[in-house]
Amino acid sequence: MRTRRTLLYVPGSDWRKMEKAASLGADCVCLDLEDGVAPSSKTEARLLISKALSELDFGRSERLLRVNSADSGLQAEDLRLAGHPSLQGLVLPKAGSAADVQAVGHVLLRAEQERNLPPNTLSLLTQIESAMGLVNLKEIASADPHLVALVFGSEDFASDVGAIRTPQADEIFYARSAVAIHAAAFGLQAIDMLHVNFKDAAGLSQLAAQGARLGYSGMQIVHPDQIAPVVAAFTPSAEEVAWAQRVVDGYEQHAAEGRGAFALDGKMIDMPLVKAARRVLARAGY
Ligand code: COA
Ligand code: MG
């Protein structure tokens, strides 16, 4: 599966920022038509996004578009951009049901036919950011074969349930964890909440490290300065890689001798730790 550590939002109404985003090397660039764009600028943003997809070179960044939600009255018009030859996938906000996801999945299938692409080449990432979205997680996570990731929208979620946000974020912890668990259960990636205070690098690093510990594979970001700390948090350190390699090597050596559990540096190593070590190596690109 594609590496998605950083998902950078860029307002589709802001040409300068789209130009800039093309050069930053984020894993995913998400050209936004939803909440980053004023209601009066949606039409202009659709035109600018089409121009950006045609003219800008986004390098190895995945070219994504966030459309408006199913109940916005704007989505049908937004989805016309799915046929753009340069677009690689869509982000669906405020998914509340499997039907919301399937409606966009059908549009992607049609776009694939028009663009002569094999079925399920285009990606769909869906945001879980409402009480109903959380309650229906299981149905949403298995709704459509285009789906590659669940994305946790913490601020909309808190507002939908009437939670009062605190820096500790205890009030959204259950939902944050549930999204990561459902993604794992259905073989999807999980993209973590935003840190809206984009000048707070220390707070961002802390939040991103916590997300990685919860099983998230990446994080949403809104500013270029957030790329490096998030990449660092979602990339295993040299020490973690070295330890993981010793665990896997040790396991293979002992398994060849017919032994399961073994001791390494005074710790008991068995299958769950070996699996975790293999995941660390995979995340590090081994
Ligand atoms: N994508 C690409 N470039 C960005 C960017 C983004 N999301 N945010 C900032 N930049 C660029 C700016 O254009 C500026 O570059 P320049 O001087 O070469 O033009 C540089 O990074 C520094 O920006 P800065 O002055 O610190 O921020 P700002 O005041 O211009 O913008 C925000 C601050 C929050 C408005 C902006 O980061 C932003 O629009 N983020 C995305 C918001 C969004 O999409 N929200 C919806 C999804 S949650
Ligand atoms: Mg949102």
Side-chain angles (χ1 to χ4, degrees):
M1 202 169 306
R2 196 182 173 106
T3 301
R4 295 187 178 90
R5 295 161 304 185
T6 48
L7 189 154
L8 173 69
Y9 288 106
V10 195
S13 50
D14 191 329
W15 179 258
R16 169 76 198 131
K17 286 196 173 70
M18 287 197 283
E19 249 184 337
K20 182 108 184 170
S23 70
L24 295 170
D27 292 326
C28 314
V29 170
C30 182
L31 307 175
D32 189 25
L33 281 171
E34 202 220 8
D35 288 350
V37 173
S40 59
S41 302
K42 302 280 186 188
T43 306
E44 187 203 354
R46 290 185 194 110
L47 293 171
L48 281 179
I49 286 176
S50 176
K51 183 175 147 76
L53 287 170
S54 299
E55 295 179 9
L56 299 177
D57 177 3
F58 287 88
R60 55 163 207 87
S61 299
E62 187 178 29
R63 301 175 295 275
L64 301 176
L65 165 72
R66 183 166 74 167
V67 297
N68 285 282
S69 61
D71 61 0
S72 64
L74 298 164
Q75 198 186 75
E77 193 64 30
D78 296 347
L79 284 171
R80 292 162 69 109
L81 282 164
H84 194 290
S86 168
L87 191 75
Q88 293 176 292
L90 294 173
V91 176
L92 170 69
K94 303 184 177 73
S97 66
D100 289 349
V101 176
Q102 282 155 359
V104 177
H106 285 138
V107 172
L108 287 175
L109 199 59
R110 263 209 324 273
E112 285 158 352
Q113 285 161 357
E114 280 167 24
R115 292 169 56 184
N116 288 320
L117 297 170
N120 308 322
T121 313
L122 297 173
S123 297
L124 178 55
L125 293 76
T126 194
Q127 285 189 284
I128 303 299
E129 47 184 350
S130 65
M132 196 53 84
L134 198 82
V135 167
N136 289 334
L137 255 173
K138 194 172 158 187
E139 291 75 23
I140 290 173
S142 54
D144 188 275
H146 292 92
L147 205 58
V148 294
L150 301 179
V151 183
F152 180 47
S154 55
E155 305 315 306
D156 274 307
F157 178 79
S159 140
D160 192 50
V161 303
I164 297 162
R165 289 287 281 116
T166 64
Q168 294 72 32
D170 301 339
E171 64 284 351
I172 53 166
F173 184 78
Y174 165 69
R176 189 180 177 203
S177 180
V179 169
I181 291 166
H182 281 77
F186 291 93
L188 304 173
Q189 289 176 333
I191 314 281
D192 203 5
M193 61 190 279
L194 278 175
H195 190 48
V196 286
N197 184 354
F198 62 84
K199 293 197 188 290
D200 170 26
L204 174 68
S205 293
Q206 230 172 27
L207 191 74
Q210 193 181 34
R213 289 197 297 271
L214 283 172
Y216 277 94
S217 37
M219 186 173 181
Q220 301 163 87
I221 57 172
V222 289
H223 193 279
D225 291 352
Q226 293 187 311
I227 294 177
V230 170
V231 167
F234 285 97
T235 308
S237 66
E239 296 81 59
E240 286 171 308
V241 171
W243 166 255
Q245 194 62 62
R246 288 180 62 215
V247 169
V248 170
D249 291 348
Y251 170 75
E252 280 165 7
Q253 191 190 324
H254 285 85
E257 294 161 5
R259 280 189 289 157
F262 65 101
L264 185 64
D265 297 351
K267 279 194 189 138
M268 189 276 288
I269 307 290
D270 68 354
M271 214 45 204
L273 287 165
V274 174
K275 283 185 183 163
R278 287 199 174 121
R279 266 200 303 275
V280 168
L281 295 178
R283 272 173 50 221
Y286 284 78

